[in-house]
Amino acid sequence: MNTGAIVIIGAGQAGGWAATTLRDRGYSGRVVLLGDEPHAPYERPPLSKAVLSGQAPAESTELFSAERLAALKIEFLPGIAASRLRLDDKQVDTSDGASIGYDKLILCTGGRPIVPPLPGLSCPGVHVLRTRDDALRLRARLGRGKHIVVVGGGWIGLEVAATARQAGSKVTVLEQAARLCARSVQPGVSAHLAALHAAHGVDLRLDARLLAVHAGEADGTSVAELADGTQIAADAIVLGVGLQANDALAREAGIDCDRGVLVDAFCRTSAADVYAAGDVAVSVHQGAGGRVRLESWQNAQDQGTAAALSALGETAPYQPTGAVWSEQYDAMVQIVGFPALAVSEVQRPQAESRALLSVSLDTEGRIVGGVTVDAVRDLRQLRKWIAQGAVLDPALLQRPDVPLANAQIG
C-alpha cells in the first residue's frame, strides 16, 4: 500500500512514531495526525522528573517538531480531537466540524488519569500528572516549606514523590494497598522502594485510604481526609492511582473493547482497516498471562511503529517486552518481562546496598520477569533469559560467588 490516506488519532508517543514510520517506510499517501493537545508529539517520562523539577523546559520533551512533521508532509492538526468514527463510510468526524476520509485508521488515543468518585477532588489543590501543562501547574506548588500529598504508591506517584522531595518539599505518600507497586512487582522490590523513599524522608503510609478532600485555608491548598479520620493539610494533592484507557471513541463505533481497544498480534482491531497502539491498546500476550494493556514509553514507541507497519501490509507480529524504567532520586529502576505473574521471587545479594536484582520465577523455575535497581549489566542477562524462556536454579541465583549466567539449568 503506497497511496490513499492513513489517519492517526492521537499525537502522543505512539501516534508520533506511527506517523513518522509510515514515511520512513516509503508510504507516499496522505498522512493525517490528529492531536487534542496543542503540542507536537512529546515524551511523557520527563514530566514527572526533569520538567517537574524545573531542570528542563517543557519544550525539551518534544519528539517530532511541527516543522519536521511538515517536512515529512504529515498533516499535523494540533488541538483537534476526533469526535466520531464512521466505520462504514471510513470517515473521522473532528471537533472542528470537519470530516476526514481514510483507507487505514490507527487509534493512539492513550489514556487519562483515574479520578476516583470521592468528594472534593475537583478542588483547585488537587492535581494529576499526564500532560506538559499538568507538570507546569504542579511545578509551581513545589519547593521548600511546601507539603505535597501523593495519593497512590505506583510508578507515577513515587516519581512525583522523589522529585518533590528533591525540590525541598515535605512529602506524604498514601497507598491503599499493603505495599508499593503491588500490581507490577514482587514484595521484595516493594520493600526496596519503600526503604529508598524512607531514606529520603518521605512519610509513607500503607493501607491508607483517601476518603475526601476539603478546601484548605489558603488559596490552592487542600486537606486530605483519610478513612481512619486523619486529616492532612497539603499545598498540593497529587492523584497517581492509575490510568484509564481513552477507548470511548472506539466503543461508540462498535469496536471491541475491554478496558481498552482489543487488538491482535498485528495491532488490528475488530473493525476492518482499523489498528490501535500505545496506552489504549489491549493485546493478548502469553508471557503476560493473557490480555495486557501496557503503559510505558517503550511500548508506546514500539507498538506505534508496529501498527504503522501492519497498516502498510507488513506481517511481523508485535511482541511486547514489558520493559519499564523509572528514575527515583539517583536510582534507576528497570523492569523486564512481567514480574507480577511470578509465584516466587529470588533476590541476588548485591555489593551496594542501594542496588537490587530481583528475579521472578513461575512454578517450573522459568523466568517470567525481573527488576534491577542500578544493575544494568544484570538486566542484560535477564533479557536474554526471558527471550530464551530459561529455567533457573534459585540456590545459584542467591550465591554472589557464582557468575549470574551460571544460574541457568541446562
Side-chain angles (χ1 to χ4, degrees):
M1 176 184 176
N2 204 34
T3 59
I6 298 179
V7 175
I8 303 165
I9 302 176
Q13 177 117 357
W17 276 102
T20 55
T21 297
L22 293 172
R23 292 301 190 223
D24 289 344
R25 290 303 177 109
Y27 177 69
S28 59
R30 186 184 185 195
V31 177
V32 181
L33 180 61
L34 293 168
D36 57 3
E37 290 189 57
H39 313 295
Y42 63 90
E43 298 179 295
R44 299 189 191 275
L47 300 183
S48 57
K49 297 175 278 290
V51 174
L52 184 59
S53 68
Q55 295 178 357
E59 295 77 14
S60 67
T61 62
E62 195 171 79
L63 271 172
F64 310 107
S65 68
E67 292 75 20
R68 182 181 175 190
L69 296 175
L72 293 172
K73 296 184 179 179
I74 294 170
E75 298 176 43
F76 173 47
L77 305 177
I80 297 178
S83 57
R84 184 172 64 139
L85 307 181
R86 291 189 280 128
L87 301 181
D88 292 341
D89 300 326
K90 288 198 167 183
Q91 296 282 323
V92 177
D93 294 340
T94 61
S95 57
D96 64 348
S99 183
I100 305 171
Y102 67 85
D103 294 285
K104 304 282 186 178
L105 177 65
I106 305 177
L107 304 176
C108 300
T109 48
R112 62 191 182 279
I114 293 173
V115 179
L118 299 176
L121 295 193
S122 60
C123 288
V126 178
H127 297 252
V128 295
L129 182 55
R130 177 65 177 171
T131 68
R132 279 168 43 171
D133 297 333
D134 291 338
L136 295 178
R137 280 192 293 269
L138 180 56
R139 189 168 79 186
R141 306 300 300 176
L142 304 186
R144 298 193 180 280
K146 302 290 187 178
H147 186 189
I148 309 301
V149 171
V150 178
V151 182
W155 301 112
I156 287 293
L158 295 182
E159 289 177 0
V160 169
T163 302
R165 279 298 296 139
Q166 290 174 307
S169 303
K170 178 182 177 182
V171 176
T172 301
V173 173
L174 308 175
E175 170 52 52
Q176 185 170 275
R179 61 185 180 90
L180 300 175
C181 301
R183 290 180 295 178
S184 56
V185 299
Q186 290 294 307
V189 180
S190 298
H192 190 91
L193 293 171
L196 172 67
H197 284 270
H200 284 84
V202 172
D203 178 10
L204 176 61
R205 305 190 187 189
L206 302 175
D207 295 307
R209 184 165 62 87
L210 181 69
L211 189 65
V213 171
H214 309 284
E217 295 182 0
D219 289 344
T221 64
S222 302
V223 177
E225 179 183 352
L226 308 190
D228 65 1
T230 302
Q231 295 199 347
I232 307 173
D235 293 279
I237 296 175
V238 185
L239 301 179
V241 296
L243 195 72
Q244 180 177 346
N246 288 330
D247 61 1
L249 198 66
R251 281 189 286 105
E252 290 165 2
I255 296 173
D256 291 346
C257 296
D258 182 6
R259 290 173 291 181
V261 180
L262 298 180
V263 299
D264 65 10
F266 303 95
C267 304
R268 298 176 298 204
T269 73
S270 62
D273 298 320
V274 181
Y275 306 78
D279 290 351
V280 76
V282 177
S283 59
V284 176
H285 188 280
Q286 291 306 116
R291 289 177 176 173
V292 60
R293 183 173 66 83
L294 298 175
E295 302 167 7
S296 74
W297 173 93
Q298 192 68 58
N299 182 68
Q301 174 176 311
D302 293 348
Q303 197 172 30
T305 299
L309 297 179
S310 291
L312 294 178
E314 299 192 26
T315 57
Y318 172 62
Q319 290 293 326
T321 65
V324 177
W325 59 271
S326 175
E327 289 179 277
Q328 299 172 32
Y329 309 104
D330 56 351
M332 172 60 77
V333 184
Q334 294 176 281
I335 302 176
V336 63
F338 301 92
L341 299 178
V343 297
S344 64
E345 175 190 20
V346 180
Q347 287 196 26
R348 184 175 175 86
Q350 300 291 297
E352 297 289 337
S353 60
R354 52 175 278 170
L356 173 76
L357 171 56
S358 168
V359 183
S360 301
L361 306 176
D362 67 10
T363 53
E364 298 176 350
R366 183 173 290 104
I367 185 171
V368 295
V371 180
T372 65
V373 178
D374 296 335
V376 176
R377 184 178 302 176
D378 292 341
L379 186 75
R380 297 191 190 103
Q381 182 63 60
L382 296 185
R383 286 174 175 157
K384 181 179 179 180
W385 277 338
I386 289 172
Q388 296 172 340
V391 176
L392 308 180
D393 184 330
L396 293 179
L397 279 173
Q398 295 178 80
R399 288 182 55 184
D401 59 312
V402 174
L404 182 61
N406 292 352
Q408 183 172 351
I409 297 176

